[in-house]
Amino acid sequence: MWLSIYFASLILLIPFTLIGLSRTSEKRIAQWLIFDRLIYLIMATAMVVLTIRTFHHSPLLVSFKGLLAVLVIILIEIAFGRKQEQSLPIKWQVVVTVAILITAVIDIVLTLHSI
């Protein structure tokens, strides 16, 4: 169950982030940032539960997955911060989307490897 919640929230980050970064109104950007934060709060909660339950099986893989999740969150926060201060180039949206997709693929592969 927690694994499904984690992967679903990781995949939901993509459209929520893209919609938020494509808004022009500062109010709308802030609203989508709140949605994004809610999604990655759920993702982080599921990651903590999964880490507690699986750390003793493969500590290196679990630590790497957690680090990837934290890096994606930091990247999203930086992108939204830049968007609120100034206009955000399309490259940033592509980089954030690709980072989330790569993280999701790596997490799936590492999860299947650690099972």
Side-chain angles (χ1 to χ4, degrees), residues 1-14 17 35-52 62 64-77 99-101 103-105 107:
M1 178 179 99
W2 288 105
L3 190 61
S4 301
I5 292 171
Y6 175 73
F7 285 134
S9 62
L10 189 59
I11 298 301
L12 280 176
L13 271 179
I14 295 169
T17 303
F35 292 144
D36 248 15
R37 286 180 177 162
L38 180 65
I39 292 295
Y40 66 67
L41 179 65
I42 294 168
M43 183 181 79
T45 304
M47 186 66 188
V48 168
V49 172
L50 289 171
T51 300
I52 290 170
V62 172
F64 184 65
K65 284 172 43 175
L67 181 66
L68 280 175
V70 169
L71 289 176
V72 164
I73 290 170
I74 290 170
L75 187 63
I76 290 171
E77 285 293 325
I100 295 171
L101 282 172
T103 301
V105 168
D107 280 353

Side-chain angles (χ1 to χ4, degrees), residues 21-35:
L21 292 177
S22 65
R23 301 295 104 183
T24 55
S25 164
E26 193 169 321
K27 182 179 177 183
R28 297 290 179 209
I29 295 168
Q31 286 175 341
W32 283 99
L33 177 59
I34 291 170
F35 292 144

